[in-house]
Amino acid sequence: MELQTPSSPSATLSHPLMNSTLDDLGKLILRVSVAGMLLLHGVFKARNGIGFVHQQVAESGLPALLAYGVYLGEVVAPILVIAGFLTRPAALIMAFDLLMAVVLARNADVAKLNAGGGWAIELEMMFALCEIAIACLGVGRLA
């Protein structure tokens, strides 16, 4: 049996307070990075319009008014997630937004691989799964 001293790395990393701090830091990094990247898409749409989204929604037979939900999913919800306010429901809204993007715009690519051998919709699914992880993990203490 090895005696651990406070200065040994294994003792520091196994300390409950340190684990809690690292968990909270990880949650913060996940929240800010994922929501921040999605927010960039929302800002682009706010500046340039959502004509493409309107077209995709209309072609699917859904009411065109639903296209404005992209602002909720790509502007409002990411801001809430970054701020750590209503994080779990906001992250689920973001995930729904990405899944709807796949259904409306990328459904033909679901069973395809890209030129590099990866899943054709891997970026959208990475976003959606990270957003579901944020919803499961919650905000943490660093909000």
Side-chain angles (χ1 to χ4, degrees):
M1 186 162 130
E2 180 183 323
L3 180 63
Q4 293 183 348
T5 63
S7 62
S8 73
S10 59
T12 304
L13 291 178
S14 66
H15 190 276
L17 183 58
M18 184 63 162
N19 285 343
S20 176
T21 301
L22 288 175
D23 288 349
D24 290 330
L25 181 60
K27 290 175 186 179
L28 176 66
I29 291 168
L30 184 63
R31 282 188 6 250
V32 171
S33 62
V34 172
M37 286 186 274
L38 189 59
L39 180 59
L40 293 174
H41 290 268
V43 168
F44 177 84
K45 288 178 178 82
R47 288 184 174 173
N48 298 292
I50 57 170
F52 175 75
V53 178
H54 269 286
Q55 178 184 352
Q56 295 296 318
V57 169
E59 287 176 5
S60 72
L62 295 170
L65 184 63
L66 290 179
Y68 290 101
V70 74
Y71 291 124
L72 179 62
E74 296 182 15
V75 177
V76 177
I79 290 171
L80 291 173
V81 168
I82 290 168
F85 185 71
L86 297 172
T87 301
R88 292 175 194 256
L92 289 175
I93 290 169
M94 291 167 40
F96 180 77
D97 174 75
L98 262 294
L99 294 174
M100 287 306 296
V102 168
V103 168
L104 295 175
R106 303 288 310 274
N107 61 349
D109 297 329
V110 170
K112 292 182 181 176
L113 298 178
N114 62 27
W119 194 12
I121 60 166
E122 67 186 1
L123 181 61
E124 292 85 353
M125 291 309 297
M126 180 83 70
F127 266 110
L129 293 171
C130 285
E131 292 154 0
I132 292 169
I134 292 168
C136 292
L137 293 169
V139 68
R141 293 180 299 144
L142 303 175

